[in-house]
Amino acid sequence: MALGLLAMGGLYAAFAPAQADETTSTDAQVAQGRELFTVNCSTCHGLNGEGIKLTDGDGQDQMGPSLVGVGAAAVDFQVGTGRMPLTQPGQQGPAKQTVFTDEEREAIAAFVATLGPGPAIPNEEDYSTAGMSDEEREKAIVLGGQIFLANCTACHNFDGAGGAMPRGGYAPSLHDTSPKHIYEALLTGPGPMDKFSNGNISPDDKRAVIAYIESIREEPEAGGFGLGAVGPVAEGLFTWLGIAVLVGIATWIAAHTTRTSKKKVEEA
Ligand code: HEC
Ligand code: HEC
């Protein structure tokens, strides 16, 4: 009987991958996604993505929110940027190396998409600015800059360098984010960020914002040594410190010139 079981297992192992390769149906993908979800995500989001609330605490804290209706785009963003699986609830997940392969991420996204209708993973033509002519790009950068100034600088800083948020959170720097992840962040509004649905900022305008963010990465530091564009308050403080240092140096020089030393000699 043991031999029989072994033989069965061996046969299954030999044939199962081949079958999986053949069936590219989403059913298999969703099943794989559900399995990965159960192992990696359900402790916080619940077995069916319904979310898990902590009953103690102030009602604000939850292990993980409901994922019904967040859509494949939210999973692609959260898992693709390495934010999920979160290591500790109650903390903002930092962007880091993703722990899943592309195939696994797509499977989990496919599973979560079955929980309720939500935004799909965008296509390359939605977010890529590669096909823009020079003229189109220039126009897009101007438009994207206006949209960015009106909607994003409050949190991400005028230069996209990021900034602090209430309750220990932060808006990250946008200098390394891929166009796809920018598009998905707009679509799904991670954490405390607002959602910018396609009705709010159209796909064309989203691409303009991406073109603008790409353009500020390439911008040279006009004033020479850059201060990291941390904002007017910090940079202003830096200037005041600089002035204090210069005044100090001037005073020191004045106190050590030949005239002052001569006077001292005469006095002596
Ligand atoms: C209310 C503050 C706020 C506003 C307004 C806001 N964001 Fe965000 N944004 C955040 C926070 C906070 C995060 C990080 C969320 C997290 O990690 O859970 C974030 C994350 C992002 C990310 C992901 C970055 C990465 O590297 O993973 C992108 C891209 C982004 N925002 C772009 C934008 C753009 C473009 C706009 C304007 C259309 C905008 N945001 C408006 C707060 C904001
Ligand atoms: C340790 C707990 C924990 C684990 C494990 C975890 N998550 Fe989360 N997840 C959270 C919390 C908390 C949030 C809310 C984060 C925020 O709002 O900044 C979240 C947010 C999300 C969101 C965004 C929801 C939205 O409204 O846009 C998605 C999508 C998501 N998680 C998917 C996953 C997937 C997929 C996995 C498994 C690979 C996973 N999570 C594992 C705690 C967890």
Side-chain angles (χ1 to χ4, degrees), residues 37 40-41 43-45 62-67 70-71 74-75 78-79 84-90 92-93 100 108 112 188-192 195:
F37 189 88
N40 297 287
C41 324
T43 42
C44 295
H45 290 291
Q62 47 184 1
M63 290 291 286
S66 162
L67 299 183
V70 300
V75 176
Q78 297 282 348
V79 175
M84 294 292 143
L86 198 68
T87 33
Q88 218 186 328
Q92 185 174 336
F100 295 105
I108 303 174
V112 170
T188 64
K195 268 193 195 73

Side-chain angles (χ1 to χ4, degrees), residues 77 83 92 151-152 155-156 170 172 174 177 185-186 192-194:
F77 173 81
R83 285 178 164 82
Q92 185 174 336
N151 297 288
C152 322
C155 299
H156 288 284
Y170 59 92
L174 306 180
T177 315
L186 289 170
M193 178 167 152
D194 313 299

Side-chain angles (χ1 to χ4, degrees), residues 63-165:
M63 290 291 286
S66 162
L67 299 183
V68 176
V70 300
V75 176
D76 197 63
F77 173 81
Q78 297 282 348
V79 175
T81 60
R83 285 178 164 82
M84 294 292 143
L86 198 68
T87 33
Q88 218 186 328
Q91 249 175 17
Q92 185 174 336
K96 56 182 187 298
Q97 188 71 39
T98 176
V99 295
F100 295 105
T101 65
D102 290 354
E103 188 208 337
E104 289 170 333
R105 187 186 66 242
E106 280 156 20
I108 303 174
F111 165 66
V112 170
T114 65
L115 302 176
I121 300 172
N123 297 316
E124 186 156 355
E125 59 261 33
D126 292 327
Y127 56 78
S128 172
T129 61
M132 286 181 180
S133 68
D134 284 351
E135 200 188 328
E136 279 171 341
R137 186 181 303 274
E138 256 164 52
K139 270 195 199 143
I141 290 173
V142 173
L143 174 66
Q146 286 164 350
I147 298 172
F148 193 85
L149 210 66
N151 297 288
C152 322
T153 42
C155 299
H156 288 284
N157 178 315
F158 64 94
D159 188 45
M165 297 274 300

